[in-house]
Amino acid sequence: MSRCFALARKGLGSTYPNPLVGSVIVHENTIIGEGWHQKAGEPHAEVNAIAGVKDKSLLQFSTLYVNLEPCNHFGKTPPCSDLIVKHKIPRVVIGCVDSFKEVNGSGIEKLRSNGVEVILGVLEKESRALNKRFFTFHQKKRPYIILKWAQSQDGFLAPLPESRDEQVPVFLSSRKAQIQVHQWRAEEQAILVGAQTVIDDNPALTTRWVAGKNPIPIILDPKNRIPITAKVLQSATDYLHLTKKTLSIDHQVSPEETLSKSMQHLYKQNIHSVIVEGGAKTLTHFITHELWDEARIFTAKKDLHHGIKSPEIEGDIQSIFSDKSEDYRLIKKRRKQG
């Protein structure tokens, strides 16, 4: 199952809106086939694993491992449950049930009704964590939300706009940290900033420093303030500009209602994950209304002395990493549940 996880992670950033799935086929304690879901619309992990088995006659004496319940419906590809039954694979080990309404136990039922032995719940917690984006989307009806920012060690995000000479991003973190951020962008389906960040920094919001697909830019701009010449509007082939008109708001609303309508809109647009990169007001709104799942905070070993204050956030610390050579500290937090 751990090997299934490793295979599944290879698809991170390219399978949306589908989940991350890896599959391994074992015969007499030897892996004879393995695969992962690489891109939405392309073959699923089980299909690729079966295709990788050279001697198909061995399948009827083998065990198939997969971190998520095999699908049992016709989407862009046929049901994996049918393929498993067709090849008479006698035993399937599954990490966790797929809560998507088109599956949700029906794949397991199909296998068992055809005489397949199904073992369920192997590394279940880890299986669910692997597909936290997919499960959050289907269960909470919103994207999985990651907050990210960099701050000075004295608690500022950036200098005040009036003290700046250029309309460019202010980088507090090192180049190594910035490359890490671009890798994170490549892993998520979308990236969100507020209107003020676009006005002050004119960011591109791309993955230009790593290999990977650019996330879909989302600009939270209820008052429609950003200029049409903004770099993000000119360079992106696909973007979401969340204005009052887009969100069907015809009156003055609170930040909480604006965020709520924004998340409803992203859900309808099938956005499974979003990394929020500011600015301060936007980040604070997400935090205040507990609309976040993870926070990733870089603290640079430098002082600004004055400027835009960093958000304050509480949560369970997942990890703390210090890079002395690059002079920054990274803290990852998870929102407390309950």
Side-chain angles (χ1 to χ4, degrees), residues 7-20:
L7 291 167
R9 290 189 187 98
K10 293 184 177 184
L12 184 57
S14 62
T15 66
Y16 298 113
N18 291 351
L20 300 170

Side-chain angles (χ1 to χ4, degrees), residues 19 30 68 84 112 121 131 139-140 154 183 185 210 220 225 258 302 312 319 321 331:
T30 299
L68 189 69
I84 292 169
R112 285 176 171 163
N131 275 303
Q139 293 171 2
K140 296 186 177 182
D154 57 347
Q183 181 59 50
R185 290 178 179 180
V210 299
L220 188 58
R225 296 189 296 132
T258 299
K302 62 178 71 172
E312 295 183 4
S319 64
F321 173 76
I331 298 179

Side-chain angles (χ1 to χ4, degrees), residues 149-170:
W149 70 86
Q151 62 189 19
S152 63
Q153 63 184 353
D154 57 347
F156 294 98
L157 287 180
L160 294 171
E162 55 266 27
S163 67
R164 294 163 57 180
D165 297 325
E166 297 179 274
Q167 189 191 31
V168 294
V170 176

Side-chain angles (χ1 to χ4, degrees), residues 73-87:
H73 65 291
F74 282 90
K76 293 183 178 180
T77 60
C80 291
S81 57
D82 285 352
L83 187 65
I84 292 169
V85 171
K86 174 186 174 182
H87 285 283

